[in-house]
Amino acid sequence: MRLRYRYRLYPDATQRAALARAFGCARVVFNDGLRVRIEARAQGLPYVCDGELSKRVITEAKKTPERCWLGEVSSVVLQQALADLNTAYRNFFASISGRRKGRKIAPPRFRSRKDNRQAIRFTKNARFSVTAGGRLRLPKIGDVAVRWSRDLPCEPSSVVVIKDAAGRYFASFVVDAGDEPLAESVSEVGIDLGLAHFAVLSDGRKIGNPRFLRRAAKKLGKAQQALSRKARGSANRKKAVVRVARAHARVADARRDFAHKLSTRLIRDNQAVHVENLSVKGLARTKLAKSVHDAGWSQFVAMLEYKAARHGRTFVKIDRWFPSSKLCSVCGAVAESMPLNVRSWTCPCGVAHDRDVNAAINILAAGRADRLNACGDQVRPPLAVAQVGETGSLRGAA
């Protein structure tokens, strides 16, 4: 399994200048390659292949006075910038041809030096390494200090150096880590995601919603207000932009840390995890949009999925149209309607239900039924469409 391990970098002033030069060169090569292909299409010429494009915008460009400074950075950084452009084109062509599922992807766009996020990639060909002193050695940049929060499981295949909007630097290592199966567990859990509580488990436990964005709203508002008062183009406005970005980065980091810790605990303690396949895009178009985005359900579910695959656990997504909240987990009766303001209800069979706990129990039961049995079949066979000749009652039937 291919995983990413991210660490904080602390470059000095000279290294920051070298990184800024590398960011700029990679951006220029990307834009030059995109411009060559756009002009070729406008003139009715054939699509410029990858090798010809690399020759034009890198090899030959270094010999010209306008682009001679491209030789000041590692050639691998420039080649990887073109590789990103080629990947963007392949994804675009696959999207418009229907080979790529999901929403349509727009064609590549030019990169701006004012983009909040800058990144470059080094592969093994660049011969980056980790020194004996724990520093990251990058070609034509130097030995950069790293805060190692954990050890790398194996030798990385590439590293991406990132500068975010808050001015922080990160190294994202790509490693081909093997599976790490955990000890067998007898427990399984169904999870009902919500806003009042972030998650309600089928065993009755309720995990509170941290609401990181709501809690930081006052501080974010003050920082944004201070930014709006600064003159455009001034040095003070640039500083205010960084302060706003840092405030948002703290919220995002706290949300990611919470999701990582909770998902790791659930995967470690349960052999199977069942969640509902929520339509986050649809919910984000309602009046609850801010709260939905603040919860970060998609990020949390994605963490559950890849951690389950790595540690040998079972991960099941339940159909979003499954009536988990309206279905009685005891008798199976389905209520006609269940508005959001109804947090508890009593079934005609006499059982009183907590809405969220009942939904989590139903999600667990549905997930178990959808799993394959020992013969490779579903425990609960799917509903079959009745054939025309089988409808109604046969004449003469008793």
Side-chain angles (χ1 to χ4, degrees):
M1 178 180 290
R2 181 166 293 180
L3 299 175
R4 290 186 179 272
Y5 284 70
R6 193 175 74 159
Y7 304 89
R8 182 78 180 270
L9 295 180
Y10 295 90
D12 56 27
T14 304
Q15 292 167 349
R16 287 197 296 270
L19 285 171
R21 189 181 307 114
F23 292 145
C25 291
R27 181 180 64 251
V28 167
V29 167
F30 183 94
N31 291 341
D32 286 350
L34 180 57
R35 188 175 295 108
V36 167
R37 282 182 170 158
I38 291 177
E39 292 176 355
R41 184 177 184 276
Q43 297 172 9
L45 299 176
Y47 180 79
V48 182
C49 65
D50 299 351
E52 178 64 23
L53 188 66
S54 175
K55 181 180 178 181
R56 288 192 197 180
V57 302
I58 297 180
T59 307
E60 295 179 356
K62 287 182 180 180
K63 303 175 183 178
T64 63
E66 296 81 6
R67 294 287 188 267
C68 61
W69 35 264
L70 290 177
E72 299 177 4
V73 302
S74 172
S75 60
V76 174
V77 170
L78 307 182
Q79 292 291 347
Q80 291 301 308
L82 280 187
D84 292 340
L85 175 62
N86 298 331
T87 301
Y89 264 110
R90 283 194 295 269
N91 291 338
F92 169 63
F93 292 145
S95 178
I96 61 177
S97 64
R99 295 193 306 271
R100 183 185 177 97
K101 304 303 180 183
R103 64 178 182 178
K104 298 297 182 183
I105 295 179
R109 65 172 181 84
F110 289 101
R111 291 179 176 177
S112 171
R113 62 183 179 86
K114 297 181 180 180
D115 287 344
N116 291 332
R117 184 182 182 275
Q118 303 286 342
I120 53 176
R121 181 166 58 251
F122 297 89
T123 60
K124 285 185 176 180
N125 295 335
R127 297 182 180 179
F128 70 91
S129 62
V130 179
T131 65
R135 289 176 174 261
L136 176 61
R137 179 167 295 170
L138 300 173
K140 297 191 178 182
I141 293 176
D143 297 348
V144 185
V146 186
R147 178 179 291 175
W148 298 100
S149 55
R150 52 182 171 170
D151 295 332
L152 286 171
C154 60
E155 184 180 357
S157 59
S158 66
V159 60
V160 179
V161 180
I162 305 167
K163 181 184 178 183
D164 66 1
R168 305 177 300 176
Y169 293 84
F170 296 93
S172 179
F173 294 92
V174 177
V175 298
D176 293 322
D179 295 341
E180 297 180 358
L182 297 172
E184 291 282 340
S185 176
V186 297
S187 61
E188 299 183 6
V189 67
I191 305 174
D192 178 60
L193 300 174
L195 296 177
H197 294 88
F198 178 79
V200 177
L201 309 185
S202 54
D203 57 8
R205 287 181 294 167
K206 296 185 177 181
I207 299 168
N209 190 354
R211 294 185 175 88
F212 296 106
L213 183 62
R214 297 284 186 180
R215 291 191 330 203
K218 186 175 181 181
K219 185 178 296 185
L220 289 171
K222 288 184 177 180
Q224 188 65 45
Q225 187 181 52
L227 170 62
S228 64
R229 292 172 176 171
K230 301 296 186 293
R232 292 187 177 275
S234 64
N236 285 336
R237 184 177 178 85
K238 294 180 181 178
K239 295 176 184 178
V241 168
V242 174
R243 282 194 289 269
V244 171
R246 286 178 179 172
H248 280 285
R250 282 192 290 268
V251 173
D253 290 345
R255 184 186 295 115
R256 188 185 307 110
D257 180 70
F258 169 78
H260 266 300
K261 290 178 178 177
L262 179 58
S263 59
T264 299
R265 186 167 74 247
L266 291 173
I267 293 297
R268 185 184 61 241
D269 297 342
N270 299 279
Q271 185 64 31
V273 177
H274 311 270
V275 297
E276 191 174 7
N277 185 17
L278 295 173
S279 176
V280 178
K281 288 183 180 179
L283 293 171
R285 291 194 292 265
T286 65
K287 61 181 180 181
L288 301 174
K290 187 173 183 178
S291 298
V292 169
H293 286 303
D294 190 13
W297 292 330
S298 296
Q299 182 185 52
F300 173 69
V301 172
M303 290 180 182
L304 285 175
E305 187 169 7
Y306 88 79
K307 290 179 182 181
R310 186 185 183 194
H311 297 299
R313 302 306 202 196
T314 300
F315 177 80
V316 181
K317 279 186 177 181
I318 307 303
D319 182 21
R320 67 183 57 172
W321 304 111
F322 176 69
S324 57
S325 298
K326 299 190 295 182
L327 178 66
C328 176
S329 57
V330 177
C331 69
V334 179
E336 292 184 1
S337 63
M338 190 68 61
L340 286 176
N341 60 346
V342 178
R343 309 314 304 172
S344 60
W345 59 286
T346 302
C347 180
C349 68
V351 180
H353 292 293
D354 180 285
R355 177 196 181 102
D356 299 327
V357 175
N358 177 69
I361 295 173
N362 288 327
I363 289 172
L364 173 61
R368 285 173 171 171
D370 289 339
R371 284 158 55 186
L372 301 181
N373 58 22
C375 299
D377 254 338
Q378 286 187 343
V379 177
R380 180 178 59 190
L383 297 177
V385 179
Q387 301 299 317
V388 175
E390 298 177 356
T391 57
S393 57
L394 298 178
R395 182 175 298 176

